[in-house]
Amino acid sequence: MEWSSDHLRMLDQCLLPQREVWLELRTWEEVRDAIRDMAVRGAPAIGVAAAYGMALAAMSGAPSSFAGDGSCPENEEGIGGAALSGAYNGLAASRPTAVNLVWALDRIMALPSLTFDAILAEAQAIEREDLAMNHKIGELGSALVPVAAQILTICNTGSLATAGHGTALGIIRTAHQQGKVKHVWSCETRPRQQGLRLTAWELLQDGIPFHSIADSVAASLMRAGSVDLVVAGADRIAANGDTANKIGTYMLAVLAQHHGVPFVIAAPTTTIDASIPDGSHIPIEERAGIELTEAEGIAIAPTGTPVYNPGFDVTPGDLISAIVTETGVHRPPYSFR
Ligand code: MRU
């Protein structure tokens, strides 16, 4: 995504890899819808988008001559008020699990001056800082990657899901640059197929050797000794290390424990929610059943099929061998207070 004078440009991840379409978002409501519909997804990217959404809200609350060119007169209070709190609430409710969303919104609201210029500058700082954190995570996490590693990952945690480089995929990227990656197993990630559509897209661009696999292949790969390390991202990490991430992550952690494979979570500290003691407090998004019952708009289940479709699950901290943030490699027992 990128800010372009008076709007937010965003690669529509719903259409990848078949079509590379850039959305032009001009209101905070459009940003909210893009987050809800997953045109942008991945915890850090959602946070960055929400911050830009606040800039758009500030812009629309400004005088009509104001076009983001720095011409708007600033004052101590800035624009503030109802326009921004409406945007805050609307954006915060767009996806509940990734804490980066509310973290970014709170950071904007804590600005001493809620002018468009100040909000835009803060959104850009959030984006810049996320990129820097990901490179640090890649550097620190790559130390956990053995030579000739066979790495299994889930969902998409790469450039698309962040400001760039990625978290779990960032570790894979850095380790690949160091010549340590023999092979990546990329879980398809039912039902939205972020692995099959998006991680494959990124891995191909970087020339990293991989196979996409159906999610259910993970167990037999581990049993065959074909996985040396599992690395996954996070949407919210509780104070005790319990970690919400894409549905299916917990299953991988249980499998990894059973097969003696290290299971690593990679996330910036902006994904840590120290206000909650454990994972039972993490809100888990439930998404529409249509994500399961239809493929490419075609019904694949009998009409009337009831569906339970949680977007995330929680992996207990004691199943996680290490949590890599930009501040270091954390080991259990975790305490992020
Ligand atoms: O539903 P999504 O695609 O937003 O879920 C994304 C994940 O679960 C990622 O692993 C997580 O947000 C970390 S992205 C760096």
Side-chain angles (χ1 to χ4, degrees), residues 13 35 38 40-46 95 97-98 100 130 134 153-163 166-169 189 192 194 197-198 232-236 244-247 249 266-268 271 285 287 311-312:
Q13 297 190 34
I35 294 172
M38 296 173 64
V40 61
R41 28 71 45 208
I46 291 171
R95 288 197 81 189
T97 302
N100 304 61
D130 186 62
N134 290 335
T153 192
I154 182 169
C155 200
N156 172 267
T157 57
S159 295
L160 292 166
T162 63
T167 56
L169 196 50
T189 318
R192 292 290 294 240
Q194 293 93 327
R197 297 186 302 106
L198 308 176
D235 282 79
R236 193 183 293 235
N245 191 52
K246 182 48 52 195
I247 190 75
T249 304
T271 304
E285 177 182 16
R287 296 192 60 89
F312 301 91

Side-chain angles (χ1 to χ4, degrees), residues 16 30 81 99 140 155 166 180 288 310-311 336:
L16 286 176
E30 288 176 348
V99 76
L140 294 168
C155 200
K180 292 202 288 190
F336 292 113

Side-chain angles (χ1 to χ4, degrees), residues 72-95:
C72 181
E74 296 189 5
N75 56 48
E76 282 307 300
E77 289 80 32
I79 297 145
L84 283 183
S85 57
Y88 177 100
N89 292 329
L91 288 162
S94 57
R95 288 197 81 189

Side-chain angles (χ1 to χ4, degrees), residues 30-175:
E30 288 176 348
V31 176
R32 173 201 59 199
D33 294 351
I35 294 172
R36 185 198 55 214
D37 300 341
M38 296 173 64
V40 61
R41 28 71 45 208
I46 291 171
V48 173
Y52 282 119
M54 293 298 278
L56 289 169
M59 188 188 291
S60 67
S64 56
S65 62
F66 182 62
D69 58 0
S71 62
C72 181
E74 296 189 5
N75 56 48
E76 282 307 300
E77 289 80 32
I79 297 145
L84 283 183
S85 57
Y88 177 100
N89 292 329
L91 288 162
S94 57
R95 288 197 81 189
T97 302
V99 76
N100 304 61
L101 174 59
V102 169
W103 171 86
L105 293 170
D106 285 341
R107 182 161 151 176
I108 296 290
M109 292 308 273
L111 286 170
S113 164
L114 287 170
T115 61
F116 166 77
D117 284 348
I119 295 174
L120 179 61
E122 196 69 3
Q124 289 169 328
I126 289 171
E127 185 174 13
R128 255 193 332 271
E129 289 168 24
D130 186 62
L131 179 61
M133 287 189 287
N134 290 335
H135 281 291
K136 193 70 192 170
I137 289 167
E139 183 192 318
L140 294 168
S142 63
L144 305 178
V145 176
V147 173
Q150 306 169 95
I151 307 174
L152 187 140
T153 192
I154 182 169
C155 200
N156 172 267
T157 57
S159 295
L160 292 166
T162 63
H165 196 67
T167 56
L169 196 50
I171 290 178
I172 292 172
R173 269 203 169 101
T174 303

